[in-house]
Amino acid sequence: MKTNFSLLFYLKKSKNYQNGPVAIYMRITVDGKRSEITTGRSCEPEKWIVATGRINGKKEDARSLNAYLTDLQMKVYEAHRQLTLCDKLITAEAICDRFQGKEEKQTTLIEVFTEHNRKMEVLVGTEYTKGTAQRYRTSLKHTVGVPLKVVLRHF
């Protein structure tokens, strides 16, 4: 499914802005939904070219900032490409999260079971007996020891 995807760099002035450098933000838009993050850089508003989303100038600082913004742009496009290749839902938030390295951690049944048993051990004597905790430990041991072929055969 095709999505409308765009990337924009813009200046975001604070409410009480008087003068001086302004923060540069990056806006990712997918199908009309936005996600905005700061680039961590700033520039003077007089030097900013709105149409290109870059700073005007040929000095080293201007070239360096423009190269940094281009690098960010390439990383966002790469995040979009990775989501497309994985057939994941493409949203502005998903691209932003992939770009920033915020991935959903996949939890396995064993991890959930182990965490449950750890919490059970704390409650032995107050809410649960030693026998109950032992049965949960045994269940976990059997779950871990079961080969995948056996599990899949039952489905």
Side-chain angles (χ1 to χ4, degrees):
M1 187 167 118
K2 188 156 171 60
T3 58
N4 291 326
F5 164 68
S6 68
L7 176 65
L8 171 74
F9 291 102
Y10 67 98
L11 299 182
K12 189 171 186 179
K13 296 178 183 176
S14 62
K15 289 182 181 180
N16 55 358
Y17 175 76
Q18 298 292 323
N19 58 13
V22 178
I24 302 172
Y25 274 72
M26 178 171 56
R27 177 183 295 152
I28 300 168
T29 308
V30 177
D31 293 333
K33 305 278 188 213
R34 300 177 184 176
S35 183
E36 299 175 350
I37 54 175
T38 182
T39 62
R41 302 287 174 99
S42 60
C43 82
E44 295 290 333
E46 307 85 50
K47 295 180 180 179
W48 186 255
I49 304 171
V50 176
T52 61
R54 298 291 190 268
I55 190 170
N56 189 19
K58 295 188 184 218
K59 291 187 178 179
E60 182 60 33
D61 59 338
R63 280 190 281 167
S64 173
L65 179 61
N66 287 337
Y68 176 75
L69 295 177
T70 302
D71 187 46
L72 286 181
Q73 182 177 6
M74 291 300 117
K75 288 179 181 177
V76 169
Y77 283 129
E78 177 62 21
H80 179 266
R81 188 185 72 78
Q82 289 173 0
L83 289 172
T84 304
L85 287 176
C86 295
D87 285 333
K88 297 208 175 173
L89 180 65
I90 297 175
T91 64
E93 278 296 315
I95 294 171
C96 203
D97 288 346
R98 175 67 65 114
F99 166 74
Q100 291 178 318
K102 298 178 187 174
E103 294 292 320
E104 288 183 16
K105 185 182 180 301
Q106 302 276 331
T107 55
T108 64
L109 176 64
I110 304 302
E111 290 171 349
V112 172
F113 212 146
T114 303
E115 179 64 19
H116 172 267
N117 287 0
R118 188 188 62 74
K119 290 177 181 177
M120 285 282 301
E121 295 291 334
V122 173
L123 298 173
V124 168
T126 58
E127 293 185 31
Y128 299 100
T129 64
K130 288 181 184 179
T132 302
Q134 180 59 42
R135 283 189 283 282
Y136 276 114
R137 282 193 299 272
T138 303
S139 287
L140 175 60
K141 191 187 311 182
H142 289 297
T143 304
V144 171
V146 174
L148 186 59
K149 291 180 196 173
V150 174
V151 173
L152 293 177
R153 207 177 304 146
H154 292 301
F155 287 103

